[in-house]
Amino acid sequence: MKNSTKIVEVDLSLINQKEINRKLKELAKEYDKIIIKNPNAMHYLGAGVVDNVEIEIDGSVGYFAGTMIDNVKIQISGNSGWFLGDNMTNGEIIVEGSTGDGAGQGIYGGTIVVRNSAGARTGEIMKKGTVIIGGNSGFMSGIFMMGGKMIVLGDLGDDAGESIINGIIYVLGDVKSLGKNAKLVNIDNEDSQYLKQILNHYNFNLDSIDYDKFRKIIPKNKRPFYGS
């Protein structure tokens, strides 16, 4: 049985890159917390880890960090590249900096939190789960979104919610333009309570008046048709 007090530190500069994720999967079975030093913006870091473990990354990561994880908590002190948390099924990823394009692509569950801004196509084809962006999010955020919730505390770029099928995109800032099948409406009291609960939980300290400024993007139609 795993001892809940066991913590291990791993210096990635001392391990062959091809062996790193295999090593992490082995350590996740024995330890409750893995502290990673010198990640050097490595791609695919933590890919496929499915044990109940915390991974604390001291630095920045590259593409597909935390892809296909389940029941894992990842804390990244720096920035992340494209496709953060791609297809994760459960767990939590928190990035203290910014992230690239496609954060939360295809996620089935769990929560992704980015303290600063995100690139384009955030939450693309996400099914469930939650993506929180503390700054701005780029063009086509929420494209082909099938479910779940996205919260953007800054502005949204062009074509927000492009071809959205289901789910909600909450936005505090401006929306440059809406995509096909997307409409922007006011939030209700239930939305406001949800936003206060989850944003307070992740230490986003908004004033009460800020919650009155949120709006949400939802689908115009559940079964859109784009033919002529």
Side-chain angles (χ1 to χ4, degrees):
M1 180 178 292
K2 186 162 55 175
N3 186 331
S4 62
T5 63
K6 290 183 71 176
I7 300 172
V8 63
E9 185 173 296
V10 180
D11 186 343
L12 297 194
S13 67
L14 304 178
I15 304 175
N16 185 306
Q17 284 202 2
K18 293 181 179 179
E19 299 295 319
I20 287 172
N21 280 329
R22 181 185 62 79
K23 181 70 173 177
L24 290 180
K25 290 174 184 177
E26 291 175 354
L27 293 172
K29 295 182 183 302
E30 182 179 356
Y31 293 90
D32 258 328
K33 186 172 184 179
I34 302 169
I35 300 173
I36 294 177
K37 298 291 186 179
N38 298 311
N40 297 320
M42 176 187 169
H43 301 321
Y44 297 95
L45 191 53
V49 178
V50 295
D51 284 281
N52 186 8
V53 66
E54 294 182 35
I55 300 176
E56 183 179 299
I57 301 173
D58 184 13
S60 295
V61 296
Y63 302 161
F64 289 96
T67 181
M68 296 184 289
I69 62 168
D70 185 73
N71 287 325
V72 181
K73 292 186 176 182
I74 299 178
Q75 180 92 22
I76 300 166
S77 69
N79 302 313
S80 75
W82 294 358
F83 305 117
L84 174 73
D86 162 76
N87 278 285
M88 65 184 283
T89 52
N90 198 7
E92 180 181 85
I93 302 176
I94 299 177
V95 177
E96 296 299 328
S98 297
T99 191
D101 296 349
Q105 173 181 260
I107 66 171
Y108 292 87
T111 303
I112 294 174
V113 178
V114 179
R115 297 287 178 196
N116 294 331
S117 292
R121 304 172 79 100
T122 304
E124 178 175 2
I125 62 171
M126 64 183 289
K127 286 82 172 176
K128 291 184 180 179
T130 306
V131 177
I132 302 173
I133 307 298
N136 302 327
S137 188
F139 72 89
M140 288 190 176
S141 291
I143 181 172
F144 299 124
M145 190 173 176
M146 298 180 184
K149 294 177 180 177
M150 188 188 309
I151 304 170
V152 178
L153 301 186
D155 300 333
L156 280 168
D158 280 318
D159 299 324
E162 171 67 33
S163 301
I164 183 173
I165 303 299
N166 208 341
I168 300 174
I169 304 170
Y170 295 102
V171 56
L172 179 57
D174 295 328
V175 179
K176 194 167 183 182
S177 68
L178 291 171
K180 295 183 183 72
N181 201 46
K183 67 178 179 179
L184 187 63
V185 299
N186 293 326
I187 65 169
D188 58 26
N189 185 62
E190 184 178 343
D191 294 316
S192 182
Q193 292 303 312
Y194 164 74
L195 290 167
K196 287 176 182 177
Q197 181 180 24
I198 193 167
L199 291 175
N200 285 333
H201 176 76
Y202 285 106
N203 299 315
F204 288 99
N205 298 313
L206 277 64
D207 294 329
S208 295
I209 194 171
D210 289 328
Y211 290 98
D212 297 329
K213 299 175 183 176
F214 272 100
R215 294 169 294 167
K216 62 183 179 181
I217 296 172
I218 57 175
K220 288 181 181 177
N221 300 293
K222 296 294 186 181
R223 295 175 64 87
F225 175 68
Y226 297 127
S228 59

